[in-house]
């Protein structure tokens, strides 16, 4: 899905594209050469685009897509545009900025803002959101799709959260048991294997799987159907479902796992070469491919 117009007012207005088609806003990640790896520039550009859509009374539904061959390969852990030391005004949490902090203080402050905090902020967008997923949807890509209310995927889409290979218990927005169920969550985390769109649909993670050539049209048709409903009714319904998820323990569960996540980072920093257990984008990709070739049997 290619958005052609509009920037977001970010430092790089091309890293996220924004356009409105009728009553539907299309927010498109635009780092295709890096499989839409999410750096801070992209995170804050996404946030600006979502704010723009929320404030536009003509927009009823928001689509989130990715340009190029893939939806998103996850957090940026190795491109030339990686910007872990970039300074932004915090929008998701009331905490000091991570810049010029050290050790666990730095990691905790940054990830609470740009990873867990932003995802929670976007989950509460008062307009229906639909992730439009094709190709890779890995780790941080899962987080982006999971905060959306619905997910439409193409038949070629594939998914994984391989960060256990770093010794870390899953990505920061730890929704796995709620979107996959406990046993499937354990399977995909324990093995690090990719799973297909067909499997994700069967497990209840996706709403629809469509041929790649129909992904855009099917997503827009769904968005337009939703857009015919009263906006305030949609906002209240979304809040109702989210509140029920939280009453089932999702928010408190994420809080507890976020602590384990950072304990793992600190452990790595003590016993390995860095907080990621010595893994980088290349080694993660190679490991994931080897695991997928092994298969589940």
């Amino acid at each position: 899905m290619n958005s052609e117009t509009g920037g977001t007012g970010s430092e790089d207005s091309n890293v996220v594209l924004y356009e409105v088609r009728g009553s539907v806003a299309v927010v498109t990640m635009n780092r295709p050469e890096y499989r839409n790896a999410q750096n801070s520039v992209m995170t804050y550009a996404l946030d600006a685009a979502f704010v723009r859509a929320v404030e536009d009374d003509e927009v009823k539904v928001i689509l989130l897509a990715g340009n190029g061959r893939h939806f998103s390969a996850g957090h940026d852990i190795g491109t030339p545009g990686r910007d872990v030391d970039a300074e932004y005004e915090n929008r998701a949490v009331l905490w000091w900025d991570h810049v010029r902090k050290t050790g666990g203080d730095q990691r905790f402050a940054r990830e609470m803002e740009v990873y867990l905090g932003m995802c929670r902020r976007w989950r509460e967008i008062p307009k229906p959101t639909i992730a439009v997923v094709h190709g890779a949807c890995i780790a941080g890509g899962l987080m982006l799709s999971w905060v959306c209310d619905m997910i439409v995927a193409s038949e070629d889409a594939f998914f994984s959260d391989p960060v256990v290979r770093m010794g870390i218990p899953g990505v920061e927005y730890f929704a796995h048991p709620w979107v996959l169920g406990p046993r499937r969550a354990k399977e995909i985390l324990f093995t690090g294997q990719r799973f297909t769109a067909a499997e994700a649909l069967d497990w209840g993670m996706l709403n629809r799987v469509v041929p790649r050539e129909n992904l855009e049209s099917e997503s827009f048709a769904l968005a337009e159907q939703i857009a015919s409903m009263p906006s305030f009714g949609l906002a209240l319904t979304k809040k109702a479902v989210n509140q029920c998820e939280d009453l089932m323990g999702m928010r408190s569960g994420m809080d507890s796992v976020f602590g384990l996540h950072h304990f793992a980072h600190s452990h790595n920093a003590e016993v390995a070469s860095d907080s990621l257990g010595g893994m980088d984008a290349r080694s993660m990709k190679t490991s994931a491919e080897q695991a997928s070739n092994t298969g589940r049997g």
Side-chain angles (χ1 to χ4, degrees):
M1 184 178 299
N2 294 311
S3 299
E4 298 175 352
T5 61
T8 60
S10 68
E11 292 180 9
D12 180 353
S13 62
N14 293 320
V15 76
V16 169
L17 304 178
Y18 180 91
E19 67 171 324
V20 176
R21 305 184 196 176
S23 57
V24 180
V26 183
V27 177
T28 307
M29 295 176 284
N30 190 39
R31 297 185 78 204
E33 67 276 28
Y34 302 118
R35 302 193 298 168
N36 293 318
Q38 303 157 35
N39 57 6
S40 294
V41 170
M42 176 178 283
T43 296
Y44 286 91
L46 282 170
D47 189 69
F50 291 141
V51 170
R52 184 174 175 181
V54 168
E55 294 295 340
D56 186 347
D57 289 341
E58 299 302 313
V59 170
K60 307 298 184 185
V61 180
I62 303 167
L63 297 185
L64 175 63
N67 268 347
R69 295 175 56 197
H70 301 285
F71 177 75
S72 177
H75 296 139
D76 188 342
I77 61 172
T79 83
R82 191 181 186 210
D83 52 2
V84 294
D85 294 324
E87 187 169 4
Y88 292 86
E89 181 180 356
N90 283 9
R91 298 179 191 170
V93 297
L94 186 58
W95 198 266
W96 50 74
D97 190 76
H98 71 283
V99 177
R100 293 179 294 278
K101 302 299 187 294
T102 58
D105 187 357
Q106 180 190 61
R107 287 191 296 272
F108 185 82
R110 182 171 189 271
E111 293 194 3
M112 186 166 53
E113 163 70 11
V114 302
Y115 295 161
L116 179 60
M118 278 296 186
C119 281
R120 283 178 163 173
R121 173 174 163 87
W122 298 337
R123 176 177 176 253
E124 299 302 324
I125 291 170
K127 296 182 179 182
T129 55
I130 302 172
V132 184
V133 178
H134 70 288
C137 182
I138 309 298
L142 281 178
M143 291 168 54
L144 289 181
S145 67
W146 285 349
V147 300
C148 293
D149 301 305
M150 304 179 74
I151 307 173
V152 179
S154 61
E155 293 170 338
D156 68 345
F158 59 93
F159 309 85
S160 75
D161 182 358
V163 302
V164 178
R165 298 186 188 285
M166 299 176 175
I168 298 171
V171 291
E172 295 82 357
Y173 186 82
F174 195 82
H176 310 59
W178 290 271
V179 298
L180 291 166
R183 296 196 186 279
R184 291 299 185 188
K186 289 177 181 177
E187 179 179 350
I188 70 143
L189 289 166
F190 289 176
T191 66
Q193 290 179 339
R194 296 173 177 176
F195 54 102
T196 66
E199 289 172 317
L201 180 67
D202 183 55
W203 299 345
M205 194 187 97
L206 305 179
N207 294 89
R208 301 179 185 182
V209 175
V210 301
R212 178 70 181 86
E213 62 271 19
N214 296 342
L215 181 61
E216 182 171 345
S217 61
E218 292 273 0
S219 299
F220 267 96
L222 177 59
E224 289 169 350
Q225 182 180 7
I226 295 170
S228 67
M229 302 291 280
S231 294
F232 190 54
L234 289 169
L236 293 179
T237 302
K238 176 170 181 170
K239 182 173 283 293
V241 176
N242 284 359
Q243 287 177 171
C244 287
E245 277 189 309
D246 289 339
L247 287 169
M248 291 189 288
M250 190 165 85
R251 186 175 183 89
S252 58
M254 282 187 188
D255 284 338
S256 66
V257 177
F258 193 63
L260 296 176
H261 184 99
H262 280 277
F263 177 62
H265 273 316
S266 297
H267 176 75
N268 285 342
E270 289 193 31
V271 304
S273 59
D274 56 40
S275 65
L276 300 182
M279 301 293 283
D280 58 19
R282 185 181 297 275
S283 60
M284 289 292 287
K285 182 174 184 291
T286 300
S287 297
E289 289 172 347
Q290 290 173 345
S292 296
N293 290 335
T294 300
R296 276 186 287 272

